[in-house]
Amino acid sequence: MSSRDKILNAVKAAQPDKQPLPDLSAIPLKFDDAVAKFIEVLSTIGATVKRLPKDRFQSELMDDIGEGKNVVNTISEFVLDFASPDKTVAPQTYDNLDYSIIPGQLGVAENGAIWVTDTEFQIRALPFICEHLILVISAETIVHNMHEAYDKIGIDNPGFGAFIAGPSKTADIEQSLVLGAHGPRFMTAYVLE
Amino acid sequence: MKLISCTRGERLKRTTMAAEHNNNALHNGTGLHSDLARKFNKDEDRVDWHDETLWWIRQKRDKITHGIPNWEALREAGSQIKHHTLSNLNEYLVQFEEQCQKNGVTVHWAADAQEHNEIVLSILKKHSVDKIVKSKSMLTEECHLNDYLQHNGVEVVDTDLGERIVQLAGEPPSHIVLPCIHWKKEEIGELFHQFMGTPKGNADPQFLTHAARLNLREKFLTRKIAMTGVNFAVAETGEMVVCTNEGNADMGAHLADVHIACMGMEKLIAKREHLGVFLRLLTRSATGQPITTYSSHFKKPREGQEMHVVIVDNGRSVQLGRESFRNSLKCIRCGACMNTCPVYRRSGGHSYHNAIAGPIGSILAPNLDMKKYADLPFASTLCGSCSNVCPVKIDIHDQLYKWRQEIVKNGYSPKTKTIAMKAMAFTLSSPTRYQIAGKAGRFVLKNMPFAVNNKFNPWYNEREMPAVPKESFTEWYKKNKGGK
């Protein structure tokens, strides 16, 4: 018998009587102002958050990044003078990337996380390999909690998706918080209205 | 870290030659919890520091969970979802396999640690790879994968900073979430000086983290195969969720040609919406953060990439069949039970001589080997703090108590304890014997305390005994109330 069948048989013989799933409707957490809560939480976990009108985003972003930086932009909605992701090269090519600009599908107020998928950023390494990650979301996409987030995302997501909440960090050395472990050392979220 | 009978300085010198041997000694658990804890306790300042650090993390957990009004309902939901999944595990495993295959992920099944290790090595051999990066996976610790791969000529680099530190030192992690919680920054500075050439005497966490970042970046860029653990596997979608703060799982998996994810089969949950519950519980319980920086959902390999998942039993189906202990399979590996445990905080993770330390490790380990881990369920005060903080409401302290009974029943309890218990039962079962023993005891304690308070009597090792009463309650009662 294969290990697969051996394991499945052993599990079947050992598992307890069927238990029902719980009702999750009683759990959700709401805030008076989800956008304000989102900004508050994300700011406390090491990110810079900027809330601004959509029409000011482009000029603000250009000012923030400045001249002479190595940038990849994955937002198709804005015509920015930056390179688009190039899937024909190895992802290692992006090792010295200064900025990745990536659109978020939604933000979560309770924990400051932003949901991103590789439908948008195409090269999976992009949100992780850069020095400074820029995530851009629309204020109206901010939900209160993770239950609402999964309701909105549904189950048909592409090959890879992630909740990202702040810059890469570690506190493995004597519990001292250090930003920039293996991923971006900085993260800025633009919340557009 | 007080485990080996030499100073850290000596050990650092030794590590290059004997890292593997060292690792084996720690992994294979030579010694009882009480003996290993005694060694850890020799350095009182360090014990205090260890204790306070972990208690601080416990307090961070309290602070953030108290801000969630439905926290108890959330714990209950987490517990019930796990219970539901375990009660249908057979079907969900099959569903998960089907979904993975649809997603283009190759599924492997390993009945035990040996088979798991062989599967991983076979994938490496197929690709002629002898150098890999690996992000945090307690399962691979449980299977002693690093040792196995090293014996087969494979270099494994653990990429989580804490794991890298203990790996360089030739130790296993002492905590499932905070692998080097027992190391001081000065010691890490010395270790990095030796292995990464950082300036001697520099112990700045920011500086050291940056040095490790540069050192490991090169590994991420050049390794063709990356391994990761799995925090949650979703039967409905076939996706695997990996949570890190550092981004090391992602850096490994997205740059490598082959991604191998390894999971114990209890990592399964039924539906994607259940992730909402567990991602809310996990990091708040673990470190007091609202969520990890990265909660990555791996579903399909990227174009041109190969993705494997190894589903491991290694005793889990046996544990599932033990009614008293099956709840332990609900564990989401947050480490909250360790941070709160008064014994763990003061004895250190290595005193548990098992991949998973602390209260949860003490109820998981005897399932793997009741004889070898017979001491662990006794390494507890049964205060119940672990059960109170557990995000999936595992009855940890009840299970510790139940394991004690199993262990005694099976004849694995420590000999001195067995003899003492038998003597006590003999004495307590007869009022006459009890009264004689009481009198003799008071006489000895009063007139020749050295006869019992000596190094041959382990009861006195960590105890100060109260003053001896002149008489027993029965004697006092007879004198004062007798005949009235």
Side-chain angles (χ1 to χ4, degrees), chain A residues 171-182:
Chain A
D172 273 342
I173 302 179
E174 278 200 16
Q175 288 299 296
S176 300
L177 181 67
V178 179
L179 301 184
H182 296 299

Side-chain angles (χ1 to χ4, degrees), chain B residues 132-146:
Chain B
I132 65 166
V133 284
K134 178 160 76 71
S135 72
K136 193 111 124 274
S137 153
M138 289 316 295
L139 176 73
T140 61
E141 288 291 330
E142 174 187 320
C143 295
H144 305 308
L145 177 73
N146 283 15

Side-chain angles (χ1 to χ4, degrees), chain B residues 88-104:
Chain B
N88 295 270
L89 191 57
N90 172 57
E91 293 100 83
Y92 284 132
L93 281 167
V94 173
Q95 189 189 5
F96 178 68
E97 180 188 41
E98 279 170 13
Q99 290 303 318
C100 283
Q101 285 164 347
K102 259 190 219 163
N103 294 335

Side-chain angles (χ1 to χ4, degrees), chain B residues 165-428:
Chain B
I165 290 166
V166 290
Q167 185 183 35
L168 289 174
E171 290 181 357
S174 73
H175 187 292
I176 58 175
V177 174
L178 319 156
C180 68
I181 192 71
H182 59 295
W183 275 70
K184 294 204 171 186
K185 59 186 180 194
E186 292 77 15
E187 294 158 347
I188 296 166
E190 183 57 33
L191 188 75
F192 279 21
H193 170 65
Q194 191 184 337
F195 285 95
M196 294 183 195
T198 56
K200 201 171 171 58
N202 193 326
D204 175 40
Q206 178 102 32
F207 178 84
L208 295 175
T209 301
H210 193 67
R213 174 188 170 95
L214 295 176
N215 184 281
L216 289 164
R217 182 59 74 110
E218 184 269 326
K219 313 269 194 271
F220 284 127
L221 292 171
T222 53
R223 300 307 185 252
K224 302 293 179 204
I225 294 186
M227 291 187 68
T228 68
V230 172
N231 289 92
F232 305 100
V234 185
E236 181 181 40
T237 56
E239 70 197 316
M240 287 158 273
V241 177
V242 182
C243 304
T244 75
N245 279 320
E246 297 184 8
N248 56 316
D250 290 283
M251 282 298 283
H254 302 318
L255 292 173
D257 300 338
V258 181
H259 173 192
I260 308 172
C262 299
M263 56 177 268
M265 60 189 187
E266 82 284 13
K267 295 287 167 177
L268 216 56
I269 54 175
K271 295 179 175 189
R272 186 176 229 209
E273 66 179 27
H274 298 151
L275 288 168
V277 173
F278 292 108
L279 292 182
R280 294 186 68 192
L281 287 168
L282 177 65
T283 324
R284 289 188 173 101
S285 298
T287 57
Q289 291 172 260
I291 190 168
T292 47
T293 303
Y294 305 106
S295 309
S296 298
H297 298 48
F298 293 89
K299 190 170 168 185
K300 298 175 185 167
R302 67 169 197 274
E303 233 170 277
Q305 191 194 32
E306 213 176 282
M307 206 168 143
H308 298 261
V309 57
V310 189
I311 303 170
V312 182
D313 181 341
N314 203 34
R316 286 161 176 79
S317 56
V318 177
Q319 188 88 321
L320 186 63
R322 297 183 197 263
E323 201 186 336
S324 301
F325 305 114
R326 70 164 59 109
N327 268 345
S328 63
L329 295 172
K330 293 178 178 175
C331 176
I332 58 171
R333 304 290 191 267
C334 70
C337 62
M338 307 182 180
N339 304 341
T340 199
C341 178
V343 176
Y344 175 90
R345 282 187 277 117
R346 293 177 182 84
S347 65
H350 287 158
S351 64
Y352 293 81
H353 58 94
N354 180 46
I356 299 178
I360 184 68
S362 300
I363 59 174
L364 292 172
N367 176 58
L368 288 171
D369 188 338
M370 207 189 295
K371 189 179 173 197
K372 183 172 160 189
Y373 299 114
D375 55 323
L376 294 187
F378 294 91
S380 165
T381 62
L382 302 183
C383 70
S385 186
C386 46
S387 306
N388 286 336
V389 297
C390 177
V392 287
K393 299 183 83 165
I394 302 171
D395 50 339
I396 304 175
H397 72 293
D398 286 336
Q399 291 193 34
L400 286 165
Y401 180 59
K402 287 175 189 164
W403 268 120
R404 292 181 183 189
Q405 293 164 52
E406 283 295 309
I407 285 162
V408 172
K409 233 186 281 169
N410 286 279
Y412 296 130
S413 55
K415 273 209 181 68
T416 48
K417 209 166 257 174
T418 312
I419 294 166
M421 286 298 160
K422 279 192 178 146
M424 203 158 99
F426 176 77
T427 314
L428 294 181

Side-chain angles (χ1 to χ4, degrees), chain A residues 3-4 6-24 26-29 41 44-45 87 91-96 110-113 115 118 124-125 127-131 133 145-147 150-151 153-185, chain B residues 49 53 56-57 68-70 73-74 77 80-81 83-84 86-91 93-94 97 109-111 115 159-162 178-181 183-185 188 205-206 208-210 213 216-217 220-221 236-237 239 245-246 248 250-251 254-255 265 272 274-277 279-280 284 290-303 313 317 320-321 326:
Chain A
S3 286
R4 176 191 183 273
K6 227 164 52 186
I7 293 168
L8 289 174
N9 288 343
V11 167
K12 200 172 181 181
Q15 67 196 16
D17 295 339
K18 289 197 183 348
Q19 299 289 319
L21 277 170
D23 171 20
L24 303 181
I27 304 172
L29 168 69
V41 175
T44 59
I45 52 182
K87 287 180 85 170
Q92 284 82 354
T93 316
Y94 290 102
D95 180 32
N96 290 311
E110 69 162 313
N111 55 25
W115 175 250
D118 66 352
R124 292 188 187 176
F128 309 98
I129 202 166
C130 58
E131 282 285 297
L133 174 65
N145 57 61
M146 291 298 282
H147 310 290
Y150 280 107
D151 274 352
I153 295 167
I155 60 166
D156 290 324
N157 69 308
F160 178 78
F163 282 104
I164 298 183
S168 152
K169 58 167 99 58
T170 183
D172 273 342
I173 302 179
E174 278 200 16
Q175 288 299 296
S176 300
L177 181 67
V178 179
L179 301 184
H182 296 299
R185 303 168 73 189
Chain B
W49 166 78
T53 310
W56 177 66
I57 298 162
I68 305 290
N70 292 317
L74 198 60
Q80 285 183 25
I81 292 167
H83 204 151
H84 167 85
L86 290 172
S87 75
N88 295 270
L89 191 57
N90 172 57
E91 293 100 83
L93 281 167
V94 173
E97 180 188 41
W109 299 80
E115 191 174 10
T159 55
D160 173 84
L161 178 61
L178 319 156
C180 68
I181 192 71
W183 275 70
K184 294 204 171 186
K185 59 186 180 194
I188 296 166
Q206 178 102 32
L208 295 175
T209 301
H210 193 67
R213 174 188 170 95
L216 289 164
R217 182 59 74 110
F220 284 127
L221 292 171
E236 181 181 40
T237 56
E239 70 197 316
N245 279 320
E246 297 184 8
N248 56 316
D250 290 283
M251 282 298 283
H254 302 318
L255 292 173
M265 60 189 187
R272 186 176 229 209
H274 298 151
L275 288 168
V277 173
L279 292 182
R280 294 186 68 192
R284 289 188 173 101
I291 190 168
T292 47
T293 303
Y294 305 106
S295 309
S296 298
H297 298 48
F298 293 89
K299 190 170 168 185
K300 298 175 185 167
R302 67 169 197 274
E303 233 170 277
D313 181 341
S317 56
L320 186 63
R326 70 164 59 109

Side-chain angles (χ1 to χ4, degrees), chain B residues 108-111 114-124 148 260 309-311:
Chain B
H108 306 262
W109 299 80
Q114 179 67 23
E115 191 174 10
H116 162 265
N117 294 348
E118 286 166 6
I119 289 167
V120 172
L121 183 65
S122 73
I123 300 169
L124 268 54
Y148 175 84
I260 308 172
V309 57
V310 189
I311 303 170

Side-chain angles (χ1 to χ4, degrees), chain A residues 33-138:
Chain A
D33 182 344
V35 178
K37 182 71 185 175
F38 172 82
I39 293 171
E40 177 205 318
V41 175
L42 187 52
S43 305
T44 59
I45 52 182
T48 304
V49 189
K50 296 189 165 190
R51 183 178 185 171
L52 70 171
K54 200 171 173 180
D55 55 16
R56 266 185 42 214
F57 166 64
Q58 211 152 325
S59 60
E60 184 100 3
L61 178 72
M62 298 310 274
D63 283 352
D64 287 349
I65 291 180
E67 296 286 313
K69 291 292 195 297
N70 190 1
V71 184
V72 170
N73 171 39
T74 68
I75 307 184
S76 47
E77 193 188 341
F78 298 96
V79 184
L80 301 169
D81 192 18
F82 297 123
S84 297
D86 181 358
K87 287 180 85 170
T88 63
V89 300
Q92 284 82 354
T93 316
Y94 290 102
D95 180 32
N96 290 311
L97 189 64
D98 295 313
Y99 289 88
S100 293
I101 306 171
I102 290 168
Q105 291 188 359
L106 58 85
V108 186
E110 69 162 313
N111 55 25
I114 295 173
W115 175 250
V116 296
T117 78
D118 66 352
T119 305
E120 284 80 35
F121 54 81
Q122 296 176 52
I123 296 169
R124 292 188 187 176
L126 281 182
F128 309 98
I129 202 166
C130 58
E131 282 285 297
H132 193 143
L133 174 65
I134 290 178
L135 296 180
V136 185
I137 61 164
S138 166

